[in-house]
């Protein structure tokens, strides 16, 4: 970390703090309709943000790829949690637990594929780090699964 990166980290740090406050207040009111699902969505968004912060501050290709993979957790599950929040909040008479589990099947299979790293070309191709200011950038072409 150097002086050039501090303003960027400050912005992400403030975003993390605000997200944490939202999570705290939503969890304290978790008995309201849909708020548990909202809190889970916020938690997934926080994991996505943390993965991005750690990816930016990593210097090796392996570390950047790991944190890029970690971001998929929030990216794949947050939309499901937001949908469940919306359905519960408006009072839809639907089994949101069963819906959530059903919608999570494909994201879970994708995450297993990503973290097992059996066929990395399905996720990303031509992975490399481009030097830049203030951070080095992880770049790659999307593979078959990432293009879906």
């Amino acid at each position: 970390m150097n002086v050039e990166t501090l303003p960027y980290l400050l912005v992400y740090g403030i975003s993390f703090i605000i997200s944490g406050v939202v999570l705290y207040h939503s969890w304290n009111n978790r008995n309201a309709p849909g708020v548990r699902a909202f809190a889970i969505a916020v938690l997934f968004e926080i994991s996505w943000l943390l993965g991005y912060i750690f990816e930016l501050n990593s210097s090796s290709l392996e570390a950047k790829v790991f944190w890029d993979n970690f971001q998929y957790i929030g990216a794949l599950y947050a939309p499901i949690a937001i949908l469940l929040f919306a359905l519960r909040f408006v009072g839809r008479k639907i089994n949101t637990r069963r819906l959530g589990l059903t919608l999570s099947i494909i994201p879970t299979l994708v995450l297993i594929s990503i973290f097992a790293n059996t066929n990395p070309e399905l996720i990303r191709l031509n992975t490399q780090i481009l030097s830049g200011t203030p951070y080095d950038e992880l770049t790659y072409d999307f593979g078959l699964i990432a293009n879906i």
Side-chain angles (χ1 to χ4, degrees), residues 3-69:
V3 176
E4 289 179 332
T5 62
L6 285 178
Y8 297 95
L9 287 178
L10 182 63
V11 171
Y12 295 127
I14 291 169
S15 176
F16 176 76
I17 291 168
I18 291 170
S19 298
V21 169
V22 169
L23 177 63
Y24 174 78
H25 286 293
S26 61
W27 192 251
N28 281 341
N29 297 307
R30 64 185 171 271
N31 293 326
V35 175
R36 285 180 194 225
F38 178 75
I40 291 170
V42 171
L43 191 61
F44 283 131
E45 294 292 336
I46 289 172
S47 75
W48 198 347
L49 175 64
L50 284 176
Y52 185 64
I53 290 170
F54 285 119
E55 177 190 336
L56 287 177
N57 288 295
S58 298
S59 57
S60 70
L61 180 63
E62 294 78 20
K64 283 190 177 290
V65 167
F66 173 80
W67 289 113
D68 190 62
N69 290 344

